[in-house]
Amino acid sequence: MITTSGLTKSYDELPAVRDVSMRCEPGTITGFLGANGAGKSTTLKMIAGLVRPDRGTATIDGRPFVELPNPTRVVGMLLDASAMHPGRSGRATLTIAARLAGVPSRRVEDLLDLVGLADAADKRVGTYSLGMRQRLGVAQALAGGPRALILDEPANGLDPEGIAWMRTFLRDFADRGGTVLLSSHLLHEVQATADHLVVIAGGAVVAAGRLDELLASSTILVRSPDPGALAAALQAARIGYVAGPGEALTVDAAGGQVTTEVLAGIARDHRVLLTELRPSEANGLEQLFFSLTAADAEPAQGAAA
């Protein structure tokens, strides 16, 4: 179990993370999404004990990371694939990781096979491509046989075959009872892999829950011959929206409080004629992500989610 409660962090009085709470259950993959600068990396570093929060707590298996007697046996982490000694070989890098974890050195060969680096095991890490370093980073995270994984952009630099391998590996890890917290910009891969989703914008959680539930009717399409009047009515009701497609407006309904009935009532009260009002078709993670983060990025277009 990976949990956070009210994590808050500021730098020079500028908020980086605001009251972030999440719960990652065993047997699940949680996708942690947000734009650059949203607070994802700071949150992960607080969970890993690398950054001290101003307020709030983070625990793994019921304890803060710094209190785990042998952290590598509980949680494996990949926060920066470039943080490896370039002069060491892949085999030497994993041998050190195995020793630190207190596991037999024979596990190194198993890990090299698992991540597809057996043929490059004796090459210096400095000669590895970004994708190869990502694979080596995953192997390092697995050295202690942990029950949980925290991965920041693990598919970055992987080719299509590597991305497919990563997806299969994470699904198998979770299906065997493991807990995965995954940060990624590859929204299509998160949608294909994750069970749960946490979206952060401006340092705060703007959506959290089961992926299938968040994607179900996550947005509503509303259209009027007078889009300006419709936009004004939505702003007055503090309803978040983004422009498009075409002259229509797409309204965020991920929280479940905004429905077609609610929007029809707003249009009636403001005497705005509607010519179309329906749940958006083909709601995907990309559409959900932008509908949740657009209000934070462009507050003039509506209330924050």
Side-chain angles (χ1 to χ4, degrees), residues 18 23 28 34 45-46 81 87 94 100 131 148 160 174 178 225 244 268-269:
R18 299 180 292 141
R23 183 183 181 92
T28 65
K45 289 176 181 177
M46 285 192 283
L94 292 182
L100 289 173
R268 177 201 61 211
D269 295 342

Side-chain angles (χ1 to χ4, degrees), residues 235-253:
Q235 291 178 18
R238 299 187 62 80
I239 301 294
Y241 68 89
V242 293
E247 295 297 318
L249 301 180
T250 299
V251 175
D252 169 35

Side-chain angles (χ1 to χ4, degrees), residues 10-102:
S10 297
Y11 294 101
D12 297 327
E13 299 185 357
L14 181 65
V17 173
R18 299 180 292 141
D19 196 32
V20 169
S21 300
M22 70 175 80
R23 183 183 181 92
C24 307
E25 302 276 356
T28 65
I29 301 172
T30 298
F32 188 36
L33 303 182
N36 289 333
K40 301 190 307 299
S41 294
T42 300
T43 299
L44 296 181
K45 289 176 181 177
M46 285 192 283
I47 296 173
L50 298 174
V51 170
R52 187 188 299 272
D54 297 332
R55 295 193 308 275
T57 60
T59 61
I60 304 170
D61 200 24
R63 298 185 184 185
F65 181 87
V66 295
E67 295 181 10
L68 296 172
N70 187 345
T72 57
R73 302 298 294 270
V74 179
V75 58
M77 296 190 179
L78 173 59
L79 301 184
D80 184 359
S82 66
M84 301 177 189
H85 195 299
R88 295 194 182 109
S89 68
R91 177 176 281 109
T93 299
L94 292 182
T95 298
I96 293 172
R99 288 175 179 173
L100 289 173

